[in-house]
Amino acid sequence: MSINFGGFKQKGKGLVLASLSAFTLLAGCSAGAGGGANSAAPAKNETAAAPSGGTTEIAFYFSGSQNVQELWKHLKDMYEKKQDKVKVKLVLFRPDKANRRP
């Protein structure tokens, strides 16, 4: 599978890089959720997000062309192959349909 970045303009490249940075930050934050001295314990009436040893699912909203969709699917697959604690659900955000009321 090859991904062609030639069609992106500078603004598109910046958007992809910013999104990758945000995705990496989320992945890095979830990796340290182990229960060390600096981690916050849930309040008495709250429960933890995922049971110890369980998996967490996040929804990642994105928009873009078919090339961008293929890029995010490829990155998601690579990310999930490297670890098993966080599953990513890709959600295509369509700005043209975001503000419509049923």
Side-chain angles (χ1 to χ4, degrees):
M1 172 177 170
S2 84
I3 299 171
N4 180 11
F5 287 110
F8 281 120
K9 295 180 181 176
Q10 289 295 355
K11 189 175 182 182
K13 288 180 185 178
L15 178 64
V16 169
L17 290 174
S19 299
L20 282 172
S21 298
F23 189 67
T24 304
L25 178 65
L26 287 173
C29 291
S30 68
N38 293 332
S39 66
K44 290 181 182 179
N45 59 351
E46 295 179 3
T47 59
S52 180
T55 60
T56 301
E57 182 176 291
I58 61 171
F60 182 73
Y61 287 78
F62 68 97
S63 66
S65 66
Q66 184 66 33
N67 284 348
V68 174
Q69 292 176 34
E70 291 174 8
L71 170 68
W72 284 119
K73 178 159 181 6
H74 180 70
L75 291 172
K76 171 193 168 282
D77 293 342
M78 286 176 30
Y79 175 73
E80 288 181 345
K81 190 183 291 186
K82 287 193 159 219
Q83 56 80 38
D84 62 347
K85 296 198 184 282
V86 178
K87 297 297 177 194
V88 179
K89 177 183 172 187
L90 295 176
V91 180
L92 177 61
F93 175 73
R94 307 247 340 239
D96 58 326
K97 299 191 182 221
N99 293 327
R100 290 189 181 175
R101 306 226 186 246

